[in-house]
Amino acid sequence: MRKIKASELIGPVKQALQEINFDTPAETMESLRRAWKTEVSEAGRGVLEDIVKNREIAAKKRLAMCQDTGMAVIFVELGQEVHIEGPIEEALNEAVRQAYEEGYLRKSVVADPLFDRKNTRDNTPAIVHFRLVPGEQLKLIVAAKGAGSENMSTVKMLTPAAGVAGLKRAVVEFVEQAGPNPCPPIVVGLGIGGDLELAALLAKRALMRKMGQRNPDPRYAKLEEELLEAINRTGVGPQGLGGINTAMDVRIEYFPTHIAELPLAINIDCHLHRHKEIVI
Amino acid sequence: MAEAIKLETPLGAREIERLRIGDKVLLNGEIYTGRDAAHKRLVEQLQRGEPLPFPLEGAVIYYVGPAPAKPGMAIGPAGPTTSYRMDPYTPALLEQGLKGMIGKGNRGKEVREALKRHKAVYFISTGGAAALVAERIKRAELVAYEDLGPEAVQRLIVADFPVIVANDIYGGDIYEEGKKRYRKEPVL
Ligand code: SF4
């Protein structure tokens, strides 16, 4: 059995949280540049130019790309043959604390959601999802999710009768209604099937895939492409100012469901698209 | 595209009347930061008849909660937050003379009506371009509600701060216009 001290996670997770706020992976930059080049609306091109320039400044000056440096969302895939010594969630929260304090990242978490809404002042706690998998590996996907796009997300319990056509309509209508709020050009994560909470989790997991990485099932891959095209026909455009680049990508994750259900979760991510995978 | 219009704060009725949706504007002078929690407090203070921490007459409020400043910088990354969350509080502030707001995303019908009625405009700035726009903020000082952390009210001194008019006093809406122009039917 492999042993890992929980405290060994602090350094790598902290570094990942800062990197996703400062740096742009090559494939995201490529998508943004492509959008800038293909955009037909002048206002839309102006926005994309701002976005690209901003990323260059952020990377060079080690500054956050956006003032909303998000709530940390961490997916932990723990190999069953690994023994973690010490409290793992505490270590992850310590990583968040150090990353946000030392990286001049904004602390955007309130302790109580409804009553006093007092800021926790260190951006903790992180939202952590655990999954046990076979093997000796520990994999973490570290993300920073801003409120602008998270607020433009939903779960709809469709009926099986809605079918492919009804599902497509629901997605496109929802994205169009979100309009400028989630900071387009967006990435759309869809969770289809499972139940209420699994659909939402699948939608978020879909956002953690690589830009342009299609679902391995060709039917879902085709659906991703068709939805991307339809969303880009709505005219919403970069920052909602009109144009042909509303979304950079649409990704679907699915799971078996009940004979009477067709859950659909829509989780929108803004153009920042901050996440990174680390293997320990 | 037409050249940007330079404006000094506080804004007056005459300047507001000139503005149309899509106009590029460069703001200069003082603007105040304020977002969810600060708006709630401002409106509560108004309801209690208390004086506000800054004069609203002609003022511009920027919906922003900046990231912390690194040493040697006036302010940290400071881009706009989504505006509709401030909608419930906005008409009351417009009534007191607020003339401009900077944010991102669309406003509700009530706010758009109130803009016409009180002759005020809603500006937008690029969401998620926070390191870029922070370069136009020359100074930042705390005005009120320090306990709110990033949501405290600050006075910012800006130089050629770039914004676009999204809602004017003539009922125009940049998002509706833009979408109409580039929409391809049938969408599905
Ligand atoms: S939606 Fe994303 S880019 Fe827009 S303000 Fe929020 S975190 Fe920043």
Side-chain angles (χ1 to χ4, degrees):
Chain A
M1 179 163 267
R2 187 177 167 210
K3 282 186 183 165
I4 299 175
K5 282 204 187 80
S7 58
E8 284 173 48
L9 303 181
I10 298 174
V13 171
K14 169 183 164 184
Q15 194 185 342
L17 282 166
Q18 293 186 345
E19 278 174 12
I20 57 177
N21 273 294
F22 303 154
D23 299 318
T24 304
E27 71 262 16
T28 304
M29 200 52 135
E30 210 176 282
S31 285
L32 287 166
R33 285 191 190 278
R34 193 180 321 124
W36 186 7
K37 218 163 73 200
T38 57
E39 184 50 61
V40 291
S41 107
E42 193 182 335
R45 276 199 305 277
V47 160
L48 289 160
E49 185 181 350
D50 280 355
I51 289 173
V52 169
K53 275 193 191 158
N54 180 64
R55 287 183 181 262
E56 289 166 356
I57 294 173
K60 205 169 99 210
K61 295 192 178 171
R62 311 313 288 157
L63 282 175
M65 298 183 273
C66 187
Q67 74 291 337
D68 185 350
T69 48
M71 204 166 171
V73 180
I74 304 175
F75 286 91
V76 181
E77 272 179 28
L78 180 63
Q80 276 175 255
E81 310 306 321
V82 182
H83 174 66
I84 304 278
E85 293 177 326
I88 181 165
E89 282 202 57
E90 238 166 70
L92 296 175
N93 283 327
E94 184 55 28
V96 171
R97 202 169 283 129
Q98 292 182 15
Y100 278 71
E101 188 53 41
E102 294 166 25
Y104 295 88
L105 305 179
R106 195 181 76 185
K107 289 83 183 168
S108 312
V109 177
V110 291
D112 180 279
L114 186 59
F115 292 103
D116 41 32
R117 292 189 67 85
K118 259 216 175 80
N119 198 304
T120 62
R121 297 208 167 230
D122 60 6
N123 220 54
T124 64
I127 294 172
V128 186
H129 304 291
F130 289 99
R131 202 165 125 200
L132 281 175
V133 295
E136 279 219 321
Q137 192 178 273
L138 172 58
K139 190 168 105 181
L140 299 130
I141 301 175
V142 177
K145 194 71 170 68
S149 58
E150 195 66 10
N151 278 339
M152 298 294 118
S153 299
T154 193
V155 179
K156 292 176 191 289
M157 302 307 278
L158 302 178
T159 59
V164 177
L167 182 136
K168 278 172 140 181
R169 237 187 346 264
V171 172
V172 174
E173 264 168 28
F174 186 79
V175 169
E176 189 175 342
Q177 198 205 331
N181 294 337
C183 284
I186 55 176
V187 176
V188 182
L190 301 179
I192 302 176
D195 59 0
L196 178 92
E197 82 278 4
L198 184 60
L201 202 55
L202 290 172
K204 179 130 296 143
R205 280 208 70 100
L207 292 178
M208 303 298 137
R209 279 186 359 219
K210 271 211 158 78
M211 193 72 89
Q213 191 190 342
R214 298 276 64 87
N215 189 293
D217 183 318
R219 294 168 307 171
Y220 283 95
K222 186 165 158 264
L223 183 57
E224 289 170 343
E225 276 163 14
E226 287 168 358
L227 282 168
L228 179 61
E229 199 200 321
I231 288 166
N232 284 332
R233 289 173 74 89
T234 58
V236 169
Q239 290 289 315
L241 295 177
I244 62 167
N245 289 286
T246 305
M248 294 188 281
D249 205 4
V250 177
R251 295 179 215 139
I252 300 172
E253 293 285 321
Y254 66 92
F255 194 84
T257 191
H258 188 280
I259 49 171
E261 289 176 31
L262 177 52
L264 163 69
I266 308 173
N267 196 192
I268 297 185
D269 202 2
C270 60
H271 62 78
L272 298 178
H273 204 40
R274 295 168 288 199
H275 59 94
K276 192 183 169 99
E277 190 180 301
I278 40 183
V279 176
I280 303 206
Chain B
M1 206 181 238
E3 235 177 77
I5 303 165
K6 277 196 183 227
L7 288 181
E8 282 279 341
T9 63
L11 301 178
R14 201 152 352 110
E15 291 148 332
I16 299 285
E17 282 165 10
R18 270 172 62 202
L19 299 175
R20 299 286 190 286
I21 58 164
D23 283 351
K24 289 185 177 177
V25 173
L26 295 171
L27 288 174
N28 288 276
E30 288 180 356
I31 62 177
Y32 293 89
T33 72
R35 46 173 293 158
D36 310 58
H39 271 72
K40 185 163 183 273
R41 285 202 192 168
L42 287 171
V43 170
E44 282 167 0
Q45 279 184 291
L46 272 178
Q47 280 164 352
R48 288 195 300 261
E50 293 168 15
L52 296 185
F54 63 94
L56 275 180
E57 192 57 49
V60 174
I61 294 184
Y62 184 15
Y63 301 151
V64 60
K70 273 187 160 179
M73 298 181 79
I75 196 165
T81 192
T82 317
S83 305
Y84 74 89
R85 297 193 314 270
M86 270 52 80
D87 281 5
Y89 309 107
T90 299
L93 301 182
L94 290 169
E95 232 165 75
Q96 301 296 314
L98 177 72
K99 282 290 176 222
M101 290 149 285
I102 309 168
K104 70 174 177 85
N106 35 29
R107 309 306 301 261
K109 203 162 162 253
E110 267 176 51
V111 170
R112 285 154 65 178
E113 287 302 318
L115 289 174
K116 287 200 254 178
R117 204 165 54 239
H118 298 293
K119 288 207 183 337
V121 286
Y122 168 51
F123 300 110
I124 53 171
S125 155
T126 300
L132 182 71
V133 294
E135 294 183 343
R136 306 293 177 95
I137 300 170
K138 301 303 165 189
R139 228 169 56 219
E141 56 199 48
L142 182 74
V143 172
Y145 316 146
E146 187 176 10
D147 61 300
L148 295 181
E151 295 204 61
V153 171
Q154 299 187 60
R155 183 185 297 109
L156 308 181
I157 308 294
V158 295
D160 286 346
F161 189 88
V163 293
I164 298 173
V165 178
N167 292 118
D168 56 24
I169 60 169
Y170 307 100
D173 183 275
I174 200 168
Y175 297 119
E176 279 173 11
E177 295 284 312
K179 193 164 87 171
K180 229 189 286 161
R181 217 160 128 202
Y182 296 98
R183 193 179 179 77
K184 290 185 205 147
E185 293 287 1
V187 164
L188 262 174

